[in-house]
C-alpha cells in the first residue's frame, strides 16, 4: 500500500515533468496522428504506433517516448522503479484519453475510446 501511495505521489510530480513532453506533443503532426488513430497510449506509459504506419510516425513516437522516459527517470519516487512509475502514469494517461483516441486495453489490444471509460488494467490505482 505504501508503495502505491509513493508511486501515486510521484505521479503528481510527473504531471509537471511531463508538461514539457506534453508541450512537444502539441506538435500538429502528433495531434493529427493521435486524432486519426495512428498512435495511442500504451499500458507502459509510452506512446505506441497503431498498426502499420510510416517511418515519420514511428520517428515521432520514438522522439516523444524519449522525452517521456527522461521525465520518468527524473521524477521517479524513491523506492519505486521507472517501470512502475511509467505504468502508473500510463494508467492515468489512458484514463484521460478522449472519445475516438486509441489506447491499449489490459489484454494488449488497441481499443478506440468510446463515450464510456476506457478499460483499465487491474493494477491501475
Amino acid at each position: 500500500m505504501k508503495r502505491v501511495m509513493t508511486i501515486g505521489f510521484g505521479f503528481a510530480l510527473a504531471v509537471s515533468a511531463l508538461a514539457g513532453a506534453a508541450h512537444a506533443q502539441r506538435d500538429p503532426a502528433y495531434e493529427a496522428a493521435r486524432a486519426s488513430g495512428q498512435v495511442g497510449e500504451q499500458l507502459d506509459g509510452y506512446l505506441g504506433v497503431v498498426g502499420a504506419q510510416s517511418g515519420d510516425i514511428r520517428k515521432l513516437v520514438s522522439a516523444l517516448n524519449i522525452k517521456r522516459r527522461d521525465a520518468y527517470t527524473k521524477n521517479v519516487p524513491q523506492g519505486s522503479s521507472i517501470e512502475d512509475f511509467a505504468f502508473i502514469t500510463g494508467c492515468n494517461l489512458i484514463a484521460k484519453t478522449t472519445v475516438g483516441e486509441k489506447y491499449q486495453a489490459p489484454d494488449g489490444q488497441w481499443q478506440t475510446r468510446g463515450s464510456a471509460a476506457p478499460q483499465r488494467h487491474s493494477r491501475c490505482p
Side-chain angles (χ1 to χ4, degrees), residues 104-116:
Q104 193 177 39
D107 66 2
Q109 298 297 311
W110 288 108
Q111 300 293 319
T112 303
R113 171 79 185 260
S115 59

Side-chain angles (χ1 to χ4, degrees), residues 16 22 27-28 35-36 38 42-43 47 55 57 59 71-72 76 78-79 90 93 99-100 114 120:
S16 62
D27 175 303
S36 67
Q38 295 173 301
Q42 296 182 150
L43 292 168
L47 286 174
I57 296 294
K59 286 178 189 173
Y72 297 153
V76 65
Q78 187 174 4
L93 291 171
V99 173
R120 292 179 23 131

